[in-house]
Amino acid sequence: MARSRAAYEYTEAEDKSMRLGFLLIAAGLLSLLGLGCCWLRPALQERGGGGSTNCTVLAVRQLGERFACTFSCGAACRGTARYPCLQVLVRTSRSSAPALLHEDERQLRSNPKCSYIPPCARDDQENSENVTYKQKYWKEKVGSQPFTCYFNQHLRPDDVMLKRTHDETVLLHCFLWPVVTFLVGVLIVVLTICAKSLAVRAEAIKKKKH
């Protein structure tokens, strides 16, 4: 009995391999749980309330209202600038009522009144030029050409997004890598146990022959 126990005692290398396997298993489970609670579930809820549709530009305009943004010019240098509000009104294939276009869900949450938030520069004039450039883009380059846009009933049913914050690729990677980590950990543990079992059996057969 004592010999059997001694035979199944793991070497230092095998012990490290087992610890690595269990560590990867725990990391995979914790990552999957954390991402599921903090990121994946809200992302799926957002996608569950929306879909894609075709959009056509109806009007592009700048409002007289200006909004504040925060710029950074160094580690200890921050300030506030302002930018004009650009609105892009579109018609969707799912409704005849005009809808306000936004870059994505994050921009919609940051400023639901405007269609575009420029990169915040210290100079207000530079911010205005960025907005004017975007206005010309929608008027001249896009014009009446239809394009794909996205809606989400959970956020604002009268608004549409140009792109999704959480697309299929991001969701796939969010789920894939924790699962791969978990499976690699399981594989390391199983292979270490199998290798030890085979080594013990080989040793027992060798002793019987002698």
Side-chain angles (χ1 to χ4, degrees):
M1 192 71 176
R3 289 182 181 179
S4 178
R5 288 180 180 175
Y8 274 95
E9 287 181 357
Y10 291 100
T11 63
E12 184 178 354
E14 291 169 340
D15 186 58
K16 289 182 178 180
S17 179
M18 292 287 287
R19 289 182 182 180
L20 176 62
F22 286 123
L23 180 63
L24 290 175
I25 291 172
L29 289 175
L30 290 176
S31 299
L32 192 60
L33 181 63
L35 289 171
C37 293
C38 301
W39 196 88
L40 186 59
R41 185 174 65 181
L44 291 175
Q45 287 176 349
E46 285 184 5
R47 290 178 59 81
S52 62
T53 184
N54 288 327
C55 285
T56 306
V57 176
L58 290 177
V60 184
R61 65 192 183 190
Q62 284 193 33
L63 301 182
E65 188 176 2
R66 287 177 170 261
F67 292 87
C69 64
T70 302
F71 64 86
S72 176
C73 49
C77 176
R78 300 178 71 85
T80 302
R82 306 188 75 82
Y83 64 92
C85 181
L86 175 67
Q87 287 190 338
V88 180
L89 299 177
V90 298
R91 179 189 292 115
T92 67
S93 57
R94 68 187 183 94
S95 174
S96 58
L100 183 61
L101 181 68
H102 300 272
E103 290 284 323
D104 52 29
E105 289 95 341
R106 292 176 183 172
Q107 187 269 314
L108 172 58
R109 293 191 185 97
S110 299
N111 190 341
K113 287 187 176 182
C114 304
S115 298
Y116 174 67
I117 300 177
C120 193
R122 174 183 286 187
D123 185 10
D124 291 355
Q125 180 62 31
E126 183 176 349
N127 292 327
S128 297
E129 290 174 357
N130 288 334
V131 172
T132 302
Y133 174 81
K134 184 65 70 170
Q135 181 178 6
K136 289 182 179 179
Y137 168 81
W138 284 107
K139 276 187 174 181
E140 299 174 3
K141 292 189 177 181
V142 178
S144 59
Q145 298 178 9
F147 59 93
T148 302
C149 58
Y150 303 91
F151 62 92
N152 194 315
Q153 298 292 346
H154 292 325
L155 293 175
R156 291 167 65 100
D158 297 329
D159 296 79
V160 294
M161 278 70 66
L162 183 61
K163 58 185 178 181
R164 285 172 171 161
T165 304
H166 310 294
D167 59 11
E168 290 84 354
T169 304
V170 175
L171 295 178
L172 175 63
H173 284 283
C174 180
F175 176 75
L176 177 63
W177 295 115
V179 172
V180 170
T181 303
F182 173 80
L183 293 178
V184 170
V186 172
L187 184 62
I188 290 174
V189 172
V190 171
L191 289 178
T192 303
I193 293 174
C194 290
K196 184 64 176 179
S197 178
L198 290 174
V200 170
R201 290 183 182 182
E203 186 68 21
I205 294 172
K206 185 178 178 181
K207 287 181 179 180
K208 284 181 180 180
K209 288 183 178 180
H210 289 290

